[in-house]
Structures are given as structure tokens and as C-alpha cells.
């Protein structure tokens, strides 16, 4: 772990940008389990900070978190990485639902969820074989 990020996370263990940056470093060095833990920690921090009505608004398709507002970017990025991780683990229904939520939150699709959502849907439905699975 690079010293500046390590010091920052020791002082502020839920600093979202540092968690995501360190998750990228861990993933690039093959430490996927640690990277997943950091993304999960980031999502946990975001979940703790959301309004109680956010979940119901998200399920109804009413919630919006535009990428253009910089404060929304860590949450959207963490969701995108979580979808990728779910697909890598073979949880295609989960990856599909997360991608749907991403598209619902910002319809401009800044994280390119549309590139994988159709494949996630097909694999979740059991169409195709596992060899061609995204991330597989």
C-alpha cells in the first residue's frame, strides 16, 4: 500500500476516493479479494450516508445521481466495480441488477453499463455457455 493512501485511510478509513484508488492498485497487482473488500467498504459508507427514502426511490426508478456532480462519482464508480466483481464471480443476475440501477441513477451512462448489461441479462437467464461469460 502506498504510504500517502495508507496514512490517509488510517486517519479517515471511509474516505471514498482513497478506497477506490487503493482498490484499483490492489486489483492491478492481483489482490482481488482486498480490492473487493475496499469497494464493499466504499458501498457501505455510501449506504450509511443515504437518505432513508433513497432505496425506495431507486426501486421505483425515481432516484437520480448525475455523474456531472462530482460528489456522486465515488458511489457510481463503486457500483460499477461491484457489478464487474459480481459478473467475475458468476453472479450475473446481481451484475445485471446493479447495471440497471446505474442506468437508472444517471441515464447518460457515464460508466458504460450498457456495454455489459445485455450479456449479464443473457447469462442470468442461462443463455450461452460460461466460457464466453464477461469477466470469465
Amino acid at each position: 500500500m502506498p504510504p500517502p493512501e495508507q496514512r490517509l485511510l488510517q486517519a479517515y478509513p471511509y474516505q471514498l476516493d482513497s478506497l477506490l484508488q487503493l482498490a484499483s492498485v490492489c486489483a492491478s497487482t492481483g489482490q482481488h479479494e482486498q480490492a473487493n473488500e475496499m469497494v464493499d467498504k466504499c458501498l457501505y459508507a455510501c449506504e450509511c450516508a443515504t437518505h432513508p427514502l433513497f432505496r425506495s426511490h431507486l426501486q421505483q426508478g425515481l432516484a437520480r445521481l448525475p455523474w456531472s456532480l462530482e460528489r456522486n462519482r465515488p458511489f457510481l464508480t463503486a457500483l460499477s466495480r461491484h457489478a464487474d466483481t459480481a459478473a467475475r464471480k458468476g453472479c450475473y443476475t446481481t451484475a445485471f441488477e446493479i447495471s440497471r440501477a446505474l442506468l437508472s441513477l444517471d441515464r447518460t451512462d457515464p460508466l458504460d453499463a450498457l456495454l455489459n448489461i445485455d450479456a449479464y441479462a443473457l447469462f442470468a437467464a442461462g443463455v450461452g455457455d460460461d466460457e464466453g461469460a464477461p469477466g470469465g
Side-chain angles (χ1 to χ4, degrees):
M1 184 181 306
E5 285 86 359
Q6 184 179 22
R7 284 194 302 270
L8 185 62
L9 284 175
Q10 284 174 348
Y12 306 101
Y14 290 97
Q15 208 285 330
L16 303 180
D17 290 320
S18 296
L19 284 169
L20 290 171
Q21 182 64 36
L22 220 42
S24 292
V25 170
C26 288
S28 68
T29 59
Q31 301 170 348
H32 296 290
E33 194 59 39
Q34 284 182 317
N36 296 344
E37 287 175 18
M38 290 182 199
V39 171
D40 288 345
K41 192 173 183 178
C42 186
L43 288 172
Y44 172 75
C46 292
E47 183 179 2
C48 289
T50 59
H51 190 277
L53 294 177
F54 178 74
R55 180 175 292 186
S56 66
H57 284 125
L58 180 62
Q59 289 171 342
Q60 296 169 16
L62 302 174
R64 297 289 181 268
L65 294 175
W67 179 264
S68 58
L69 295 176
E70 195 165 329
R71 65 181 171 259
N72 295 333
R73 292 179 184 182
F75 178 61
L76 295 172
T77 302
L79 276 178
S80 177
R81 291 188 188 173
H82 192 58
D84 294 342
T85 299
R88 235 186 340 273
K89 291 180 178 180
C91 302
Y92 300 112
T93 303
T94 301
F96 173 74
E97 292 298 333
I98 294 169
S99 297
R100 279 185 50 199
L102 272 170
L103 287 171
S104 172
L105 290 170
D106 189 339
R107 298 190 188 261
T108 64
D109 193 23
L111 295 168
D112 298 325
L114 283 173
L115 290 177
N116 292 322
I117 197 167
D118 56 345
Y120 296 158
L122 289 172
F123 283 106
V127 178
D129 61 346
D130 289 337
E131 291 178 17

